[in-house]
Amino acid sequence: MIHTVVMISIICIAVAILALTYRVIKGPSTPDRVIALDAIGINLVALIALISIGLDTNAFLEVILLLGILAFIGTVAFSKYLEKGVIIEHDRDR
Amino acid sequence: MKTNDLILQTATKIVLFIIVLFSIYIFFAGHYTPGGGFVGGLLTAGAIILLLLAFDMKTVAKILPINYMTMTAVGLLFAIGTAAGALLFNVPFLTHAFGDVHLPILGEMALHTATIFDLGVFLVVVGVTMTIIQTIGGDE
């Protein structure tokens, strides 16, 4: 029973990732692609959670938090690059 | 143009401690669960990178006055010290020891010298990552 539900959810998430991949490839502007990549990261978190339910293990729970943190840092870095042209400033009060 | 990063800076001040705590957890949990010195070091470097993104290089150098080259050297010294310390007890190089130690405040603890080796890995990973980031991001 639970495996059927998990399987259906994994297929739904996979379809969502495919739709987001279309936005990454097609997206007219760079911010579209950045947001799509961020959403793909969050969808991967959901996919890992579902797979760890399906495999009946809790060995992947660190990966979930790790992917959340990495998606946040990556998105912040890219949006800072889009806004200011540099990722790490030397001195911001100048 | 002067921009205002208030939301990013406030979020960073909270999220930073969660990331550092998670990296310390993943470092100490490495013996029994997935994790260890490498992932923990990368996550700590990620926390410092988030600080660099929200603030600037000069501020971060003021908050964390660390020479990352020295940090790498200290990490290598830890690793080689753990390895060479085994020679003092007439056992082969890199032989690790395990034992129950009674500490004043923490009480009975099971300590393993592999943790000190892992601490060396942790320091080297943080030091090398931050040296790369600072060298690439530092130029004007």
Side-chain angles (χ1 to χ4, degrees):
Chain A
M1 179 60 196
I2 185 87
H3 279 276
T4 321
V5 176
V6 166
M7 217 54 202
I8 293 169
S9 310
I10 286 176
I11 290 166
C12 290
I13 297 284
V15 170
I17 291 178
L18 269 181
L20 286 164
T21 313
Y22 169 75
R23 185 45 67 197
V24 171
I25 296 167
K26 189 85 196 316
S29 64
T30 316
D32 287 331
R33 295 192 172 97
V34 174
I35 291 173
L37 280 173
D38 192 39
I40 284 179
I42 304 303
N43 272 314
L44 278 176
V45 168
L47 199 62
I48 292 166
L50 286 168
I51 284 174
S52 75
I53 293 171
L55 294 175
D56 199 16
T57 171
N58 56 8
F60 302 134
L61 294 187
E62 282 94 353
V63 181
I64 293 173
L65 196 47
L66 199 61
L67 254 183
I69 291 167
L70 287 183
F72 176 66
I73 294 177
T75 310
V76 167
F78 221 120
S79 43
K80 193 165 175 192
Y81 173 71
L82 290 176
E83 195 195 338
K84 296 190 177 174
V86 287
I87 296 179
I88 298 173
E89 293 160 292
H90 191 73
D91 190 359
R92 73 170 48 232
D93 301 320
R94 204 176 49 178
Chain B
M1 187 183 73
K2 205 155 159 58
T3 50
N4 193 352
D5 292 341
L6 183 64
I7 296 176
L8 176 61
Q9 290 178 354
T10 313
T12 300
K13 282 171 196 165
I14 299 165
V15 170
L16 183 82
F17 290 103
I18 302 173
I19 301 178
V20 171
L21 198 65
F22 183 51
S23 79
I24 292 170
Y25 161 72
I26 229 170
F27 168 72
F28 279 112
H31 199 81
Y32 289 111
T33 57
F38 187 77
V39 190
L42 279 181
L43 213 52
T44 306
I48 303 172
I49 289 166
L50 184 62
L51 209 58
L52 280 172
L53 287 170
F55 297 94
D56 52 276
M57 225 136 185
K58 222 171 141 189
T59 317
V60 175
K62 210 165 154 192
I63 300 168
L64 295 169
I66 300 168
N67 186 354
Y68 293 105
M69 301 270 203
T70 317
M71 199 175 185
T72 312
V74 168
L76 286 172
L77 209 64
F78 273 179
I80 200 85
T82 329
L87 294 175
L88 294 175
F89 299 98
N90 223 356
V91 283
F93 195 64
L94 267 173
T95 307
H96 286 291
F98 171 81
D100 293 318
V101 183
H102 194 80
L103 292 175
I105 302 164
L106 300 167
E108 197 79 14
M109 290 189 82
L111 297 179
H112 200 291
T113 50
T115 314
I116 306 172
F117 188 83
D118 225 22
L119 185 66
V121 175
F122 183 92
L123 290 176
V124 168
V125 169
V126 174
V128 167
T129 314
M130 291 316 296
T131 308
I132 291 171
I133 297 285
Q134 281 192 334
T135 318
I136 294 172
D139 53 5
E140 294 289 285

